Every structure is written in C-alpha cells, then in structure tokens.
Amino acid sequence: MPSSPANLVAVDIGNSRIKLGLFDRGGDSPDLPVPLETLELPLAHPAGEFDQELLARWCDKHISGDALWRMSSVHRGATERLIAAAAVAKPPGRERTLRQIAHVEVPLAMEVDYPDRVGMDRLLDALAANRLRAPDRAAIVVDLGTAIKVDLVTAAGAFAGGAILPGLAMSARALEEQTDALPHIEVDHWREPPYPIGKSTVPAIESGLFWGAVGAIRELSVRYAAQLPTPPDFFITGGSAPLVARVLASTSGFPVRHLPHLVLSGIALVDQAYKNGK
C-alpha cells in the first residue's frame, strides 16, 4: 500500500491570481499552519491563463516526492488550467493527487441562510481565524482581494456572515470604464496612505479608493463589535492588507493582526481534519 504524501500543496485560486503554499503534512500542531514556501501567479482575464513555466520551475525546486494538492477556487477556467499544468509538471513516476475542497469538508459551524453558497475563500479565512482567536472572543476577518470581505466568526466558532464590497482594483476599473475622462489608477504601488485631499484628478481618485475602503471596513467592524459582549479579535489578509492594517491599527482601536496567508492556512487545516477523519 503506497504511503501518504508528506507534502501538501495548498492552492487558492482567486479572480486575479493563484496563490500556492507548500506545507509539511507530518504534524498536527495546535498552532496555525504556516507555508514553508509560497508562489503567486497573476491571472490573465477572463480565461484564467497564467505562467505555467513559472509553476513548473517552482514545483521542481520545492516539491520532492509525492504531494497532495488541495484547492479552493472561485475561477473555473484557472482551475482547469492549474489541474492540467500540475499533471504535466509532476516528476516521472510520482503521483500528484489533486482535490478541490467542498463546503462539507470545512469543519466550521454555519449561521447563514445558504451555507453552500458562501465563497470558499471566506470560509477558509474564518476557519484559520478560529484557530487564532481567543476562546471567549469573536473575530472579525477582513480579506482584501478582488472583492473586500468583512466577516464575523462568533465566540462559539461559527461563521456568521458579513459584507462584500468591491476591492480597490475593481473600484478603480469601474471608475475608468464607466466614465468618459477618468484615468486608470494602479493601486498596487502604494507604500503610504494617499493624502486625503487630492489636489488633482489622480490623487483625488487614489484618496477616494483607499480611504473609502478603510472607512467601509472600519464602519462595518464597529457595527459588528457593537453587537458583541466583548471586543473581538481582528485579522486581516489579502494583497492590500499590510497598508490597510497599519492604518486601521492606528485609528480603529482594534488589535489588528495582519496574516498574509490566511486562506492557505485554512486549506492546511481542512487537510488536517481530513487526515484525522473529522
């Protein structure tokens, strides 16, 4: 009987990128699993194409022996391409078992109307936050991806729903595409918050995009916290998270914790539950 794979490749397929993380399946530490290596592959819309050569080189360098691949996806085209590319890139004589995570596999209680319609990335964020939050506290989980998600995990450990709003890049594209004269704005280059009062068109758009997102996150978080008996823990992840986390930590009063690989860690937790028969 073949031995179980020692490596886990967690794959988070979003609408703008694929993120991979390599984990050691050897232990079941009570701490949150953290990837040993990561890779980000930007997607070419709308087909979901990506740099397959870069994926092959990363696999050759970091994955030795058989590996189990577990995927979370919100992009069907990218999923199909990833599965095909992973099969081609595997070493001769080695196995690469690919499994897409289903809602029923996520060991998380649900307090929402339609559990099977919740985005898998939101559930995996919540699952990872459940491992980190204080036992007597709820958690607010913010994911700044293509869309911004602001979700609540109860003190009992249930996913209670939340809010979804356009992400920074999506909002920037909407301004460009649905107006006659407003320019395209790149949001990935910010190292400091934009000055609030823009003195020309581009700085004004940057201010609106950034501070509008910060304000929405802060307002939603304050309203969530107002319904809780104790202050919640606060976790933030996603591409724009470091800068937004810094601003929120200094202005919101919440103990903000930035975690760059929350979805990948959630996938590793699903794998732990699968190994342990939960």
Side-chain angles (χ1 to χ4, degrees):
M1 183 176 181
S3 60
S4 298
N7 290 332
L8 167 71
V9 181
V11 186
D12 173 22
I13 303 177
N15 285 301
S16 58
R17 65 178 180 172
I18 299 174
K19 192 170 183 179
L20 298 95
L22 178 66
F23 293 84
D24 181 359
R25 300 184 79 224
D28 290 325
S29 168
D31 298 329
L32 186 71
V34 177
L36 305 171
E37 302 288 344
T38 61
L39 173 68
E40 290 191 14
L41 299 167
L43 295 184
H45 292 289
E49 297 175 353
F50 58 89
D51 188 339
Q52 298 190 19
E53 288 296 325
L54 181 58
L55 173 64
R57 291 196 299 272
W58 186 81
C59 290
D60 288 343
K61 182 177 181 180
H62 296 296
I63 303 175
S64 59
D66 298 338
L68 171 66
W69 292 49
R70 289 182 71 79
M71 298 179 295
S72 162
S73 177
V74 296
H75 195 299
R76 288 173 291 183
T79 302
E80 294 172 359
R81 286 169 172 77
L82 188 284
I83 291 172
V88 170
K90 73 179 181 64
R94 297 294 188 180
E95 293 297 327
R96 225 164 244 176
T97 304
L98 291 92
R99 292 170 49 87
Q100 189 162 347
I101 296 171
H103 283 74
V104 296
E105 295 180 284
V106 181
L108 187 68
M110 302 278 202
E111 294 181 1
V112 293
D113 293 337
Y114 304 103
D116 59 337
R117 299 184 188 178
V118 179
M120 186 59 70
D121 53 348
R122 298 172 68 193
L123 296 183
L124 294 168
D125 280 337
L127 181 64
N130 234 356
R131 177 65 66 95
L132 293 169
R133 67 180 178 83
D136 59 342
R137 291 191 178 199
I140 294 171
V141 190
V142 179
D143 190 329
L144 289 109
T146 305
I148 297 172
K149 286 82 69 178
V150 185
D151 290 321
L152 179 68
V153 179
T154 71
F159 176 81
I164 303 173
L165 56 149
L168 294 170
M170 184 186 295
S171 296
R173 281 199 307 274
L175 284 174
E176 177 192 10
E177 294 171 359
Q178 298 187 37
T179 62
D180 182 52
L182 293 181
H184 175 70
I185 300 295
E186 293 288 346
V187 300
D188 295 334
H189 68 283
W190 291 335
R191 297 296 176 264
E192 295 294 330
Y195 186 66
I197 305 173
K199 299 297 187 180
S200 62
T201 300
V202 170
I205 294 173
E206 290 182 331
S207 173
L209 291 172
F210 182 82
W211 292 109
V214 168
I217 293 167
R218 184 190 294 120
E219 180 67 17
L220 287 164
S221 300
V222 168
R223 290 179 178 271
Y224 293 1
Q227 302 180 46
L228 301 171
T230 57
D233 288 335
F234 192 107
F235 306 107
I236 185 167
T237 192
S240 304
L243 184 57
V244 173
R246 178 151 55 94
V247 171
L248 287 171
S250 65
T251 61
S252 68
F254 294 114
V256 179
R257 184 172 176 185
H258 170 233
L259 297 154
H261 308 303
L262 208 57
V263 171
L264 296 180
S265 294
I267 294 173
L269 290 175
V270 170
D271 180 61
Q272 283 186 9
Y274 173 78
K275 284 196 308 174
N276 296 330
K278 296 180 181 177

